[in-house]
Amino acid sequence: MSCAVCRGYVGVSCPECGSEMVECPECHGTGEGPYYAFNIVTRKDVKCTKRAWDALPDDEDAAVAKGEHYCKQEHYDCPLCGGLGEIDELAAVI
């Protein structure tokens, strides 16, 4: 079914259907990017869950003090939606 205003011809510039937002397929609407733990022994990042990341020491010094090998790696917003959790429907198709 096409848009009643532009009949599917105008697309993104249509005031009715052009700005429809959908859930970001990368972060599933959370706006959060992937979480990584930093291994202070091997100096490599390891992907982990948010729950595991929350339980990690904040930095290398805290990890050493606790006798652990991992600490939190810096966390960023989802690179696809920029932390909004939604993207333009047209971008989701592309």
Side-chain angles (χ1 to χ4, degrees):
M1 183 164 103
S2 65
C3 173
V5 175
C6 73
R7 309 241 187 258
Y9 293 107
V10 178
V12 295
S13 61
C14 174
E16 183 66 29
C17 71
S19 61
E20 292 183 17
M21 301 294 278
V22 295
E23 183 180 275
C24 176
E26 188 72 25
C27 68
H28 305 290
T30 65
E32 299 176 349
Y35 289 87
Y36 289 94
F38 180 68
N39 187 318
I40 62 175
V41 176
T42 64
R43 313 301 292 173
K44 293 185 180 184
D45 294 330
V46 178
K47 197 170 188 177
C48 65
T49 64
K50 181 181 184 331
R51 187 174 182 179
W53 187 85
D54 286 338
L56 291 170
D58 290 333
D59 56 27
E60 291 184 52
D61 294 333
V64 169
K66 290 182 174 183
E68 297 184 17
H69 295 282
Y70 290 93
C71 66
K72 292 178 180 176
Q73 182 59 287
E74 194 169 347
H75 178 70
Y76 300 99
D77 290 336
C78 174
L80 184 60
C81 69
L84 298 174
E86 296 180 325
I87 60 171
D88 188 290
E89 187 175 35
L90 181 62
V93 175
I94 297 173

